[in-house]
Amino acid sequence: MEPWGNGVTSFNSNSGISNSSFASALAPNSRVLNSNRNPPNPNLSLPQNHQFVNQSVTNLDMSSTLLLANSNFSQKEQHQFEPQLKRHNLGLTSCSTGVTKIPFVDEVLSTKQQTQIGFANQLNLLPTHQLLQKPFVPPNQDLTGGVREQISAASHLHQQQQQVIYDQLYKATELILSGTFSHAQAILARLNHQLSLNIKPFQRAAFYFKEALQMSLLMISNPVSPIPSRTPTPVDGMFKIGAYKVLSEVSPLIQFMNFTSNQALLEAVGNADSIHIIDFDIGFGAQWSSFLQELPRRDSGPPSLKITAFASPTTHHPIELGLMHENLTQFATKIGVSFELEVVNFDSFDPNSYSVSSDNEAVAVNFPIWSSSSHLPALPSLVSFIKQLSPKIMVSMDRGCERIDLPCPQHLLHTFQYYEILFDSLDAANVTTDTVTKIEKFLFQPKIESMVLGRLHFPEHTLPWKSLFASMGFSPVAFSNFAETQAEYLVKRTQVRGFHVEKRQASLVLCWQHRELMSASAWRC
């Protein structure tokens, strides 16, 4: 691997990484997306003797680190569950679990499927200004007056305790912004004794935000010798992949993001002979394995595919990128698609001086809003850079908490509430506490830290991101009926109740208990 530096790391299908210390174990092995516009009715019952065709998979050696990452991601067996028609299978479905899998990540860990499905008690999360105002309604009107009073008093006390934590986090944020670091430190030290992990979603979300504020305070208050930023290690990367795999099995969140985006991209590029994807959130590359798999099925034959990925050294270890490149390249070669990957250091990226060669290429952009959380001042320049590419389409994802239009303290509390909802949805899957902790630690805590630090460095509020897109000349584009039906079908396959898809104007929204988890939108200029 070439060092990060300020340049780019270029890969192509003729010169892969062959000397990586980690064995290739991420080869995609199943078709997850198709462009047939007539998907099966998700409400139809399954046939009695439905069959499932498993594509051949090349079993690759796995390092001890991969096995270590796998050791804590086991779950209990579930009932078999298959789609009616294999043409519309959204992924490779395990015969023992019926859970749709992300093919690119699935082969990293030979996980035993042991998910115990159940329904945990749900926490009714309220906006901050309503926490002390919602009247309590006893669940059973036949209870004696004394029992009702006790329940009401306990509920009121719980809401008061939550409000106190909200207030302390809000005040600590204000103090950090004003430079009153000692008082902010005192509040965070007090929160250390009030918060812990492995209990309710509210407490866990508050703990991670307290930790993010603590780290940001140390970095901001000591600019001469700040604490070093966390640099991912190869072992961290393997644990991240394990957490990603389990999350994709117990929640429809990842599949909703990947499949909805890919369907819009495939429809936009049509039968172009050369496709160039600009990706601001490549993750582990799982999205592009399913995208690649669809290309040879086109009537015009497989095109060439180039991906320019913007990634930060603080989120991607070079070995992660090398492993991703190697597996995508091998898969592209196997299915006959010319493939090239270029990785650009996002931290040193200058939109005003960087150019992308797009001659005779159909350009499409994957731009989740959170990808710019550490680069908020550059957001207008990034959108302007994307517009200059004249993309066929720009697909964006929003978690409902990318509220850059709010003052910083309100934005952080809004994001805090979002993660409480997200953690609540994880608890409903009834997986082990250790599994939930690893998902939160390796996938969500780094995003919380990045968002908190990025906003504290840029506390000014700006236009809402949709207004910013519109001001730059982008217009929303509705998703196709197939993309909408596919998203609904995917969520219906989830064996945890409470998820559903809503259509809001031109966006598709994944909700948990009627609260927004992820919104997908498409834009053209």
Side-chain angles (χ1 to χ4, degrees), residues 283-356:
F284 300 106
Q287 176 178 354
W288 305 120
S289 63
S290 59
F291 186 87
L292 272 166
Q293 198 161 14
E294 286 305 308
L295 298 182
R297 305 179 187 274
R298 305 185 323 165
D299 295 337
S300 58
S304 64
L305 174 64
K306 178 179 179 179
I307 297 176
T308 298
F310 293 87
S312 168
T314 62
T315 59
H316 288 77
H317 192 279
I319 290 181
E320 288 181 62
L321 296 172
L323 194 62
M324 180 201 322
H325 160 258
E326 185 174 1
N327 285 274
L328 285 173
T329 300
Q330 288 178 357
F331 183 57
T333 301
K334 180 179 178 180
I335 62 177
V337 176
S338 174
F339 176 74
E340 180 182 353
L341 172 66
E342 179 182 71
V343 179
V344 179
N345 187 338
F346 200 8
D347 293 347
S348 60
F349 172 62
D350 182 2
N352 298 317
S353 61
Y354 187 85
S355 62
V356 174

Side-chain angles (χ1 to χ4, degrees), residues 9 86 156 164 233 262 304 381 398 404 420 434 443 460 496:
T9 302
K86 71 172 186 176
H156 184 68
V164 169
T233 66
N262 278 0
S304 64
S381 298
D398 166 36
I404 57 177
E420 182 184 355
D434 185 61
L443 295 184
E460 295 81 5
V496 179

